[in-house]
Amino acid sequence: MTKRLANEHEDGPEGLLRLGGSVCVAELKETMESAGGDPVSAGSIADLATFWLDLRRRSPQPGRTDFGPEDLKFVLPDLFMVDIGCDGGLRYRLVGTRLAGRFGRDPTGRRIECGGGAWGREAIVTVLRRIVETREPHAVFAEASGDWSAYRLFQAVAMPLHAPDGRVAIVLGAAQFLAGLPGATARTSRLDMRPIR
Protein backbone atom coordinates (compact mmCIF):
# COMPACT_ATOMS: atom_id res chain seq x y z
CA MET A 1 0.00 0.00 0.00
CA THR A 2 1.42 3.35 -1.00
CA LYS A 3 1.59 6.15 1.54
CA ARG A 4 -1.07 8.74 0.75
CA LEU A 5 -0.33 12.44 0.88
CA ALA A 6 -0.95 13.77 4.36
CA ASN A 7 -3.55 16.38 3.40
CA GLU A 8 -5.22 14.63 0.50
CA HIS A 9 -9.02 14.62 0.59
CA GLU A 10 -10.68 11.22 0.35
CA ASP A 11 -13.10 12.38 -2.34
CA GLY A 12 -10.59 13.45 -4.98
CA PRO A 13 -7.16 14.68 -6.00
CA GLU A 14 -7.40 18.11 -4.38
CA GLY A 15 -4.45 17.48 -2.08
CA LEU A 16 -2.14 16.19 -4.80
CA LEU A 17 -0.93 19.48 -6.18
CA ARG A 18 -2.32 22.24 -3.99
CA LEU A 19 0.28 21.81 -1.26
CA GLY A 20 3.91 22.80 -1.48
CA GLY A 21 6.72 20.30 -1.79
CA SER A 22 7.25 17.40 -4.13
CA VAL A 23 5.33 14.27 -5.00
CA CYS A 24 6.75 10.81 -5.49
CA VAL A 25 5.73 8.71 -8.48
CA ALA A 26 3.87 6.09 -6.41
CA GLU A 27 1.72 8.80 -4.81
CA LEU A 28 1.09 10.33 -8.22
CA LYS A 29 -0.15 7.03 -9.66
CA GLU A 30 -2.38 6.23 -6.69
CA THR A 31 -3.93 9.69 -6.65
CA MET A 32 -4.64 9.65 -10.38
CA GLU A 33 -6.38 6.29 -10.11
CA SER A 34 -8.41 7.39 -7.07
CA ALA A 35 -9.62 10.41 -9.08
CA GLY A 36 -11.50 8.07 -11.39
CA GLY A 37 -8.97 7.80 -14.18
CA ASP A 38 -8.14 4.79 -16.29
CA PRO A 39 -5.67 2.73 -14.18
CA VAL A 40 -3.75 1.74 -17.32
CA SER A 41 -3.40 5.36 -18.40
CA ALA A 42 -2.57 6.55 -14.87
CA GLY A 43 0.10 3.85 -14.63
CA SER A 44 1.60 4.90 -17.96
CA ILE A 45 1.74 8.53 -16.87
CA ALA A 46 3.47 7.66 -13.61
CA ASP A 47 5.83 5.32 -15.49
CA LEU A 48 6.82 8.19 -17.80
CA ALA A 49 7.81 10.24 -14.76
CA THR A 50 9.94 7.32 -13.55
CA PHE A 51 11.48 6.99 -17.03
CA TRP A 52 12.51 10.67 -17.04
CA LEU A 53 13.90 10.51 -13.50
CA ASP A 54 16.02 7.51 -14.59
CA LEU A 55 17.30 9.56 -17.55
CA ARG A 56 18.26 12.37 -15.17
CA ARG A 57 20.25 9.96 -12.99
CA ARG A 58 22.43 9.30 -16.06
CA SER A 59 22.55 12.91 -17.25
CA PRO A 60 21.68 16.00 -15.19
CA GLN A 61 20.12 17.59 -18.30
CA PRO A 62 18.50 14.77 -20.29
CA GLY A 63 17.84 15.48 -23.96
CA ARG A 64 15.97 13.96 -26.88
CA THR A 65 19.06 12.01 -27.97
CA ASP A 66 19.14 10.09 -24.67
CA PHE A 67 16.33 7.71 -25.72
CA GLY A 68 14.62 6.28 -28.78
CA PRO A 69 10.93 6.11 -29.79
CA GLU A 70 10.83 2.43 -28.84
CA ASP A 71 11.53 3.40 -25.22
CA LEU A 72 8.15 5.18 -25.02
CA LYS A 73 5.85 2.45 -26.36
CA PHE A 74 4.28 2.02 -22.92
CA VAL A 75 2.82 5.55 -22.98
CA LEU A 76 2.33 6.36 -26.69
CA PRO A 77 -1.49 6.88 -26.63
CA ASP A 78 -1.19 9.52 -23.86
CA LEU A 79 2.17 11.02 -24.86
CA PHE A 80 2.86 14.58 -25.98
CA MET A 81 6.04 16.35 -27.01
CA VAL A 82 6.19 20.12 -27.42
CA ASP A 83 9.00 21.96 -29.21
CA ILE A 84 10.14 25.13 -27.48
CA GLY A 85 11.32 27.59 -30.14
CA CYS A 86 14.26 29.93 -29.61
CA ASP A 87 11.65 32.71 -29.61
CA GLY A 88 9.70 30.92 -26.85
CA GLY A 89 7.02 29.68 -29.28
CA LEU A 90 5.30 26.41 -28.40
CA ARG A 91 4.49 23.81 -31.08
CA TYR A 92 3.16 20.27 -30.71
CA ARG A 93 5.81 17.92 -32.07
CA LEU A 94 3.82 14.76 -31.27
CA VAL A 95 0.44 13.98 -29.73
CA GLY A 96 -0.62 10.40 -28.91
CA THR A 97 -3.79 8.95 -30.40
CA ARG A 98 -5.86 8.84 -27.18
CA LEU A 99 -4.80 12.35 -26.27
CA ALA A 100 -5.54 13.65 -29.78
CA GLY A 101 -9.00 12.08 -29.48
CA ARG A 102 -9.62 14.08 -26.31
CA PHE A 103 -8.75 17.28 -28.18
CA GLY A 104 -11.20 16.29 -30.92
CA ARG A 105 -8.44 16.58 -33.54
CA ASP A 106 -4.73 15.91 -33.85
CA PRO A 107 -2.89 19.15 -33.02
CA THR A 108 0.54 17.80 -34.09
CA GLY A 109 2.50 20.56 -35.84
CA ARG A 110 0.26 23.38 -34.57
CA ARG A 111 1.34 26.28 -32.41
CA ILE A 112 -0.28 26.00 -29.00
CA GLU A 113 -0.68 29.72 -28.40
CA CYS A 114 -2.89 29.99 -31.52
CA GLY A 115 -5.44 27.23 -30.95
CA GLY A 116 -7.19 24.86 -28.59
CA GLY A 117 -10.06 25.25 -26.17
CA ALA A 118 -10.29 28.45 -24.12
CA TRP A 119 -9.25 26.95 -20.81
CA GLY A 120 -7.20 24.20 -22.40
CA ARG A 121 -4.87 26.61 -24.16
CA GLU A 122 -4.51 28.83 -21.10
CA ALA A 123 -3.66 25.91 -18.80
CA ILE A 124 -1.33 24.18 -21.23
CA VAL A 125 0.69 27.32 -21.99
CA THR A 126 1.01 28.07 -18.26
CA VAL A 127 2.29 24.54 -17.57
CA LEU A 128 4.79 24.59 -20.42
CA ARG A 129 6.16 27.99 -19.45
CA ARG A 130 6.65 26.78 -15.85
CA ILE A 131 8.55 23.66 -17.02
CA VAL A 132 10.85 25.80 -19.20
CA GLU A 133 11.42 28.26 -16.36
CA THR A 134 12.10 25.74 -13.57
CA ARG A 135 13.75 22.98 -15.69
CA GLU A 136 12.05 20.51 -13.34
CA PRO A 137 9.51 17.74 -13.98
CA HIS A 138 6.04 18.53 -12.66
CA ALA A 139 2.77 16.79 -11.92
CA VAL A 140 -0.19 18.88 -13.05
CA PHE A 141 -3.86 19.04 -12.11
CA ALA A 142 -6.31 21.42 -13.79
CA GLU A 143 -10.04 21.88 -13.37
CA ALA A 144 -12.47 23.85 -15.54
CA SER A 145 -15.18 26.00 -14.01
CA GLY A 146 -17.71 24.66 -16.52
CA ASP A 147 -17.76 22.32 -19.48
CA TRP A 148 -14.93 21.84 -21.95
CA SER A 149 -15.09 19.29 -24.73
CA ALA A 150 -16.89 16.84 -22.40
CA TYR A 151 -14.00 16.80 -19.88
CA ARG A 152 -13.62 18.80 -16.69
CA LEU A 153 -10.44 17.50 -15.05
CA PHE A 154 -6.96 17.18 -16.55
CA GLN A 155 -3.96 15.44 -15.00
CA ALA A 156 -0.50 15.19 -16.49
CA VAL A 157 3.21 14.92 -15.99
CA ALA A 158 5.60 17.15 -17.94
CA MET A 159 9.39 17.00 -18.06
CA PRO A 160 12.06 19.12 -19.78
CA LEU A 161 14.41 17.79 -22.46
CA HIS A 162 17.48 19.92 -23.03
CA ALA A 163 19.36 21.02 -26.14
CA PRO A 164 23.18 20.70 -26.22
CA ASP A 165 23.43 24.38 -25.25
CA GLY A 166 21.49 23.66 -22.02
CA ARG A 167 18.19 25.38 -22.86
CA VAL A 168 14.92 23.47 -22.61
CA ALA A 169 14.18 22.49 -26.22
CA ILE A 170 11.31 20.02 -25.75
CA VAL A 171 8.75 19.29 -23.05
CA LEU A 172 7.94 15.58 -22.83
CA GLY A 173 4.77 14.55 -21.06
CA ALA A 174 1.66 12.45 -20.82
CA ALA A 175 -1.87 13.50 -19.94
CA GLN A 176 -5.23 12.09 -18.91
CA PHE A 177 -8.64 13.75 -19.07
CA LEU A 178 -11.22 12.83 -16.41
CA ALA A 179 -14.79 13.57 -15.33
CA GLY A 180 -16.86 13.77 -18.48
CA LEU A 181 -19.38 16.59 -18.80
CA PRO A 182 -21.42 17.71 -21.82
CA GLY A 183 -20.72 21.12 -23.28
CA ALA A 184 -18.40 23.34 -25.22
CA THR A 185 -15.91 25.67 -23.52
CA ALA A 186 -14.96 27.06 -20.12
CA ARG A 187 -12.05 28.75 -18.39
CA THR A 188 -9.62 27.24 -15.93
CA SER A 189 -10.89 27.51 -12.37
CA ARG A 190 -7.83 25.82 -10.85
CA LEU A 191 -4.37 24.90 -12.06
CA ASP A 192 -2.01 23.24 -9.59
CA MET A 193 1.54 22.06 -10.23
CA ARG A 194 4.08 20.29 -8.07
CA PRO A 195 7.63 19.14 -8.79
CA ILE A 196 8.19 15.39 -9.10
CA ARG A 197 11.15 14.02 -7.18
Side-chain angles (χ1 to χ4, degrees):
M1 175 96 174
T2 345
K3 180 178 83 59
R4 296 183 72 82
L5 291 166
N7 294 328
E8 183 181 340
H9 299 291
E10 290 301 316
D11 60 348
E14 290 84 357
L16 172 62
L17 302 168
R18 180 179 295 162
L19 306 171
S22 62
V23 61
C24 79
V25 173
E27 289 168 337
L28 172 65
K29 180 177 177 181
E30 180 180 348
T31 305
M32 292 173 113
E33 290 174 353
S34 72
D38 173 9
V40 173
S41 181
S44 298
I45 291 172
D47 289 345
L48 182 63
T50 300
F51 173 80
W52 188 92
L53 291 170
D54 287 343
L55 287 179
R56 188 164 68 175
R57 285 184 192 95
R58 289 179 265 157
S59 169
Q61 293 187 330
R64 176 62 192 87
T65 58
D66 292 328
F67 61 93
E70 67 279 359
D71 297 323
L72 300 176
K73 287 181 183 175
F74 66 93
V75 72
L76 279 179
D78 302 306
L79 184 75
F80 64 86
M81 293 177 78
V82 175
D83 287 325
I84 312 300
C86 292
D87 63 350
L90 307 168
R91 186 178 304 276
Y92 284 112
R93 171 188 280 233
L94 177 114
V95 178
T97 53
R98 182 166 33 214
L99 194 51
R102 301 298 191 242
F103 281 112
R105 62 178 165 75
D106 184 357
T108 299
R110 296 177 188 240
R111 282 192 63 127
I112 297 170
E113 307 96 311
C114 303
W119 87 268
R121 179 178 57 244
E122 172 193 333
I124 291 166
V125 169
T126 299
V127 168
L128 294 171
R129 299 272 186 236
R130 177 81 58 87
I131 302 303
V132 171
E133 176 189 329
T134 65
R135 299 175 179 264
E136 290 291 330
H138 279 70
V140 179
F141 176 80
E143 183 174 11
S145 57
D147 305 337
W148 178 68
S149 188
Y151 296 93
R152 186 170 63 89
L153 304 177
F154 170 88
Q155 296 185 99
V157 294
M159 290 81 58
L161 296 175
H162 298 83
D165 64 5
R167 71 178 180 87
V168 175
I170 299 171
V171 172
L172 170 71
Q176 181 181 40
F177 289 86
L178 308 170
L181 288 172
T185 61
R187 297 195 60 79
T188 306
S189 61
R190 191 167 96 232
L191 176 63
D192 299 313
M193 300 179 65
R194 283 184 58 194
I196 300 171
R197 302 278 186 232

